[in-house]
Amino acid sequence: MGAGIAQVALEAGWAVTLFDPLADATERARVRIYDGLLRRASRLEADADAMEDWATGRIARLGLAASAAAAATDAHLVIEAAIEDLAIKQRLFGELDRSSPPTTVLATNTSALPVSRIAEGARIAPERVVGMHFFNPAPRLDLVEIVAGAGSAEWAVERATTIADDWGKTPIQSKDSPGFIVNRINRPFTLEPLRLLRAGAGTIVEIDDAITAAGFPMGPFALMDLIGIDVNLAAARGLFEGFGRAARFRPSPIQEELVAAGALGRKAGRGFYRYEEGRKLGPASRFERVERSVPGAATLAPEAIAERVILAIANEAYRALGDGVATADDIDRAMRLGASHPFGPFEWVRRTGIEEVAMSLDAMSDEDADTFRPALALLREARRTRR
Ligand SMILES: NC(=O)c1ccc[n+]([C@@H]2O[C@H](COP(=O)([O-])OP(=O)(O)OC[C@H]3O[C@@H](n4cnc5c(N)ncnc54)[C@H](O)[C@@H]3O)[C@@H](O)[C@H]2O)c1
C-alpha cells in the first residue's frame, strides 16, 4: 500500500520519501512505482519518449530514507502504511511525533484500527493525527476515507481532505469506528456468501455467477482469492472483535480451514479456485459440488442469492448511518468508489422500496437475527415514508 500511495503523490508532482525497515523493500517499491508511473504515462502521453520523460521526471522526486525519523523531518504530511499492528503503529507515531515539525499532519492508512487509540497509545498530542484510508490498488481506486479521531484538530482533517482532493482522489469523511465505511458495510459481501455456501444454497461458481449477474464486477469467492483469504479473514476478525463479537461478523469456519491449509487464494495457486500461472482454472475439488452443513436446506435461485447478499449489505449500511459513521450519500459514493459496487445501498433501497426491504429483512431475521433484523434507522425511515 505504501508504494501505491507514494505513486499517487508522485503523479501529483509531490516529492516523496519512503521508509521501510525491511532491507530492499523500498528499493523494490521504487521499481514497482516506476512501472506504475510508465503505465500511467501511457494513458497521458502519446509517444514513447514523452512517456518516459514524464515517468523519469516524477520518479526523480522519490527519495529513500534510512529511518522513519529521517523520512519525517521537514515533511508536510506523513502517511504510515506499516503492517496492521497497533503496538507497531503506536511506536512509529511516537517516533514521527518527535522527528517532525508540529505542523506536519501524521496520517495512518490503517484499515480497521481506531485512529484515536494510535495517538493515545503513543502518548502524543492527538491534534495532528488523522486517518487517510486508501483502497487497493491506490493508484486506481479513487476513494480515500478521511477519519477524524476523538482528538484530531479541524485543521489537520481539512488539510488531509484537501491533499487527497489535490491528488485527484475523492475524500469522504468517516467516523472513527470499526471498519470505517467500506470495510464495515462490505463485510456481508463475503460473509453472507460463505454462510450460503455452508448451508448448501449453491456452489461457489453458482454464487459467484449470481452476484456478477446482479451487476457486481466480481463474485465474492473470486474476490477473496484475489485479495488473499488470509487478508480477508484478518479483516473479518478485526470487525468481529471491534463490534464486541457480534454474530454477523463472525468469521466463517471455511475461511479458517483454508488459511490453516495454506490455500490463501491466487497468490498460493489455490483457494476457492485453482490457479495456474495466475490463470483461474476450475473450483478446488472440495467446492465442486454442493456440500450441506444444514440438512434439508434447499439450493437457492440466483436472484434469491443476490437479494440476500444485497439485503445484508443494505441493512449494515443503515446500521452505520444510525451510528453516525457517514451520511447516506457519502456511504453510497464510498461503496461505489471503494468497493466498485454498481449502486449504493441507499440507492438500491430507494429503487426497491423501503417497505418491501423492511418486509424482506423481517422475513429473513428468523434464520439469522443479527444480520437481518431490520436496523432501527431503516425502520424509522420506513415509518416516515408511510406517513
Ligand atoms: N492491502 C490492502 O488491501 C490494504 C488496503 C487499505 C489499507 N491497508 C492497510 O495498509 C497498511 C499496510 O498494509 P499492506 O497490505 O501494504 O501490508 P504489507 O505487509 O504489504 O506492507 C507492510 C510494510 O510495513 C513494513 N513494516 C513493518 N514494520 C514496520 C515499522 N515498524 N515501520 C515501518 N514499516 C514497517 C513491512 O516491512 C512491509 O513492507 C495496513 O495498516 C493495512 O491495514 C491495506
Side-chain angles (χ1 to χ4, degrees), residues 212-232:
T212 48
F216 293 83
M218 201 184 268
F221 297 105
L223 180 69
M224 280 184 272
D225 273 0
L226 180 71
I227 57 182
I229 298 170
D230 52 336
V231 174
N232 185 259

Side-chain angles (χ1 to χ4, degrees), residues 1-3 5 19-23 25-26 28 32 68 80-85 88-89 91-92 95 108-113 132-137 183 227 231:
M1 285 302 292
I5 297 167
F19 163 69
D20 196 299
L22 196 71
T26 45
R28 272 185 289 122
R32 259 188 57 199
E80 168 276 318
I83 47 172
E84 189 80 335
D85 178 313
I88 288 184
K89 289 189 195 285
R91 214 174 317 126
L92 254 176
E95 204 176 324
T108 172
N109 183 47
T110 180
S111 301
L113 296 169
M132 279 183 92
H133 183 219
F134 289 78
F135 287 73
N136 194 10
N183 276 341
I227 57 182
V231 174

